Amino acid sequence: MNKDKIGTLGVHAGYEPENGGPRQIPIIQSTTFKYTTSDQMGRLFDLEEAGYFYTRLQNPTNDHVAARLAAMEGGVAGMLTSSGQAANFFACFNICEAGGHMITTANIYGGTYNLFVTTFKKMGIDVTVIDQNASDEEFEKAFKPNTKLLFAETLTNPGVRVLDIERMARIAHSHGVPLIIDNTFPTPVFCRPIEFGADIVTHSTTKYIDGHGSSVGGAIVDSGNFPWDKYADKYPGLCSPDPSYHGLTYTKKFGKLAFITKATSQLMRDFGCIQSPQNAYYVNLGLQSLEVRVKRHNSSALKVARFLESHPAVKWVRFPELESDPDHALQLKYMPEGTCGVMAFALNADREFTNRFMDHLRLVTIETHVADAYTCILHPAAHTHRQLTDEQLREAGVDPDLMRLSIGLEDPEDLIADFKQAFEAAAQK
Ligand SMILES: *Cc1c(COP(=O)(O)O)cnc(C)c1O
């Protein structure tokens, strides 16, 4: 049986029922786990033996689902977190603490940007922000002796820009730091960043992986490829003894599993951003149908993008599969089978027309979410960023005309009909 294809991994990886055991990954809704000897419990607490003892650190449902996603990404280990925010926080904080420095591309999700630029700063972490298309020389200048990681998104939210992953990996590795990539938008169905040199991959499972707008969640997957011990002075948390576990050294004891084991046994233990087993179950259902769903989101989005591009009321459309898109060549290299269902576009019209156009949409709803079954639209200048002037918007990297559109699972013909009638109605006032 071919077990390498993404659809097969999504259904089977990470869980093999025992004879007579539940076919579907069971929800282990239990805070704690029972043991018969005091010795064994002690060994669990010393990380001498693998096993469950308290769901704030680990739960079997979560672990099966994380292993499934890790297999789909081509990693060696994974963990679920309570949100995408928690995943990006843990992935970076696991190796970059107070006194450390990290580099992030500027073109990332607003919530992540805020975490790095505002909150990390308060925690004593120095963060440099750089455009992902900056020259190699500009990237060179961003590195410092205490730089611990480079962070980027495969496909940016909301701009849908494609990252040159191999170039980012080369830059990071030439400075002896890992490349951490948020792969939320393409999902492992369309892009597996580890194959192009990324070391650690994160997800907001809230988006396509859940895919039904039902549960907030996140995940981290480690490739197991980064040679931490080669840079032991830079990563003392992984490469020197941990006093909170009797002087155990993660890289020595756990090898390729060091990164995820440290994140679980220190960060989950202390911050407790665990996913609930119930939500992990929804994540699993999402993984099982992920390939089928994202291919539909993507093919419908391409139809809508082509319709919009050919409509006289539309000024421009950004969707990497369009031949006119500035990132089309990168898309063909890194995600040749598709990107996602999100695009950005702008109208040849004033804001009043734009507002009327949105108000006339019936099937497409105005909503600040993306990547689930419902098609939705957002105009940042009129919604999320409405307090800013056009000039301030441009400074913040938001085109005042930009509208973000996330194509759901409805029939694309119905969506195109909805856009057509809204254009017509808006023209008549
Ligand atoms: C939504 C999102 C996040 C944050 O995830 P939450 O699950 O909302 O915490 C992080 N990265 C990207 C790319 C996102 O789209």
Side-chain angles (χ1 to χ4, degrees), residues 81-88 107-113 151-158 182-186 202-207 215-219 369-371 404:
T81 57
S82 54
S83 67
Q85 287 297 114
N88 284 329
N107 324 65
I108 55 170
Y109 172 68
T112 315
Y113 186 89
F151 182 95
E153 284 175 9
T154 349
L155 197 54
T156 65
N157 177 4
D182 183 329
N183 196 36
T184 296
F185 267 23
T202 62
H203 280 279
S204 165
T205 61
T206 316
K207 309 295 163 50
S215 44
V216 171
H369 190 50
V370 289
R404 182 179 70 184

Side-chain angles (χ1 to χ4, degrees), residues 20-176:
R23 172 66 279 191
Q24 186 53 284
I25 294 177
I27 305 172
I28 309 294
Q29 193 70 38
S30 180
T31 55
T32 190
F33 301 83
K34 169 182 173 280
Y35 290 94
T36 43
T37 71
S38 151
D39 245 18
Q40 194 183 5
M41 186 62 114
R43 285 198 298 277
L44 292 172
F45 270 94
D46 283 351
L47 303 183
E48 283 299 325
E49 198 174 298
Y52 297 96
F53 50 95
Y54 191 49
T55 285
R56 166 152 48 76
L57 285 96
Q58 267 185 298
N59 173 281
T61 308
N62 296 20
D63 283 357
H64 288 307
V65 179
R68 180 159 289 175
L69 177 59
M72 293 169 83
E73 284 287 4
V76 294
M79 67 194 286
L80 299 189
T81 57
S82 54
S83 67
Q85 287 297 114
N88 284 329
F89 168 46
F90 278 21
C92 297
F93 193 69
N94 205 31
I95 49 171
C96 186
E97 306 174 344
H101 170 253
M102 60 168 276
I103 303 171
T104 177
T105 56
N107 324 65
I108 55 170
Y109 172 68
T112 315
Y113 186 89
N114 211 50
L115 166 69
F116 293 156
V117 171
T118 310
T119 302
F120 270 22
K121 203 152 272 179
K122 287 185 198 162
M123 298 169 81
I125 297 170
D126 182 19
V127 181
T128 297
V129 180
I130 182 167
D131 190 283
Q132 66 187 38
N133 294 321
S135 67
D136 282 10
E137 293 69 41
E138 287 170 89
F139 268 97
E140 285 302 313
K141 278 189 232 143
F143 280 86
K144 301 181 183 185
N146 60 341
T147 305
K148 310 285 184 179
L149 66 98
L150 175 58
F151 182 95
E153 284 175 9
T154 349
L155 197 54
T156 65
N157 177 4
V160 276
R161 304 294 77 214
V162 183
L163 186 74
D164 188 345
I165 308 171
E166 284 180 348
R167 174 173 174 252
M168 286 302 117
R170 176 171 49 73
I171 291 171
H173 296 160
S174 72
H175 289 274

Side-chain angles (χ1 to χ4, degrees), residues 108-420:
I108 55 170
Y109 172 68
T112 315
Y113 186 89
N114 211 50
L115 166 69
F116 293 156
V117 171
T118 310
T119 302
F120 270 22
K121 203 152 272 179
K122 287 185 198 162
M123 298 169 81
I125 297 170
D126 182 19
V127 181
T128 297
V129 180
I130 182 167
D131 190 283
Q132 66 187 38
N133 294 321
S135 67
D136 282 10
E137 293 69 41
E138 287 170 89
F139 268 97
E140 285 302 313
K141 278 189 232 143
F143 280 86
K144 301 181 183 185
N146 60 341
T147 305
K148 310 285 184 179
L149 66 98
L150 175 58
F151 182 95
E153 284 175 9
T154 349
L155 197 54
T156 65
N157 177 4
V160 276
R161 304 294 77 214
V162 183
L163 186 74
D164 188 345
I165 308 171
E166 284 180 348
R167 174 173 174 252
M168 286 302 117
R170 176 171 49 73
I171 291 171
H173 296 160
S174 72
H175 289 274
V177 305
L179 174 63
I180 302 183
I181 287 202
D182 183 329
N183 196 36
T184 296
F185 267 23
T187 82
V189 171
F190 288 134
C191 184
R192 282 185 273 182
I194 290 170
E195 291 173 358
F196 299 106
D199 299 286
I200 288 146
V201 171
T202 62
H203 280 279
S204 165
T205 61
T206 316
K207 309 295 163 50
Y208 289 113
I209 290 180
D210 169 68
H212 297 79
S214 85
S215 44
V216 171
I220 307 173
V221 172
D222 182 16
S223 68
N225 291 336
F226 193 78
W228 306 108
D229 277 327
K230 194 172 158 191
Y231 307 102
D233 290 349
K234 208 185 300 185
Y235 302 106
L238 282 163
C239 307
S240 62
D242 177 359
S244 70
Y245 285 107
H246 303 304
L248 152 169
T249 299
Y250 291 95
T251 51
K252 299 271 175 313
K253 177 124 182 111
F254 300 105
K256 283 183 179 299
L257 307 182
F259 185 88
I260 293 292
T261 306
K262 176 178 179 290
T264 301
S265 53
Q266 287 182 350
L267 303 185
M268 249 342 157
R269 179 194 64 190
D270 297 347
F271 292 103
C273 311
I274 192 83
Q275 181 56 283
S276 75
Q278 180 77 42
N279 277 5
Y281 180 82
Y282 300 138
V283 172
N284 172 46
L285 295 183
L287 289 176
Q288 293 196 312
S289 62
L290 186 65
E291 185 190 22
V292 179
R293 289 184 295 104
V294 294
K295 286 185 171 170
R296 162 76 170 212
H297 282 286
N298 181 247
S299 68
S300 297
L302 183 55
K303 285 180 187 147
V304 172
R306 290 205 194 285
F307 162 76
L308 289 174
E309 197 179 36
S310 67
H311 197 283
V314 174
K315 185 156 45 168
W316 52 257
V317 182
R318 288 285 155 74
F319 188 64
E321 277 106 310
L322 293 177
E323 293 74 13
S324 61
D325 192 278
D327 288 350
H328 188 54
L330 288 172
Q331 178 256 317
L332 291 176
K333 174 170 182 183
Y334 291 113
M335 35 196 96
E337 288 177 38
T339 53
C340 65
V342 179
M343 72 190 76
F345 72 106
L347 300 185
N348 267 321
D350 57 16
R351 203 167 287 178
E352 225 178 292
F353 180 93
T354 304
N355 283 340
R356 280 205 306 278
F357 162 72
M358 284 193 295
D359 289 350
H360 282 295
L361 290 165
R362 293 182 190 137
L363 196 54
V364 180
T365 50
I366 301 170
E367 211 179 280
T368 62
H369 190 50
V370 289
D372 66 26
Y374 302 95
T375 295
C376 60
I377 192 166
L378 185 84
H379 184 198
H383 304 138
T384 46
H385 295 62
R386 62 178 296 123
Q387 70 286 2
L388 303 185
T389 63
D390 282 5
E391 199 173 317
Q392 287 171 321
L393 282 167
R394 283 197 195 88
E395 275 168 20
V398 178
D399 185 323
D401 297 331
L402 179 147
M403 285 189 281
R404 182 179 70 184
L405 175 63
S406 174
I407 299 298
L409 293 174
E410 303 91 340
D411 191 290
E413 296 306 317
D414 286 338
L415 295 170
I416 289 171
D418 194 28
F419 285 116
K420 274 188 186 153

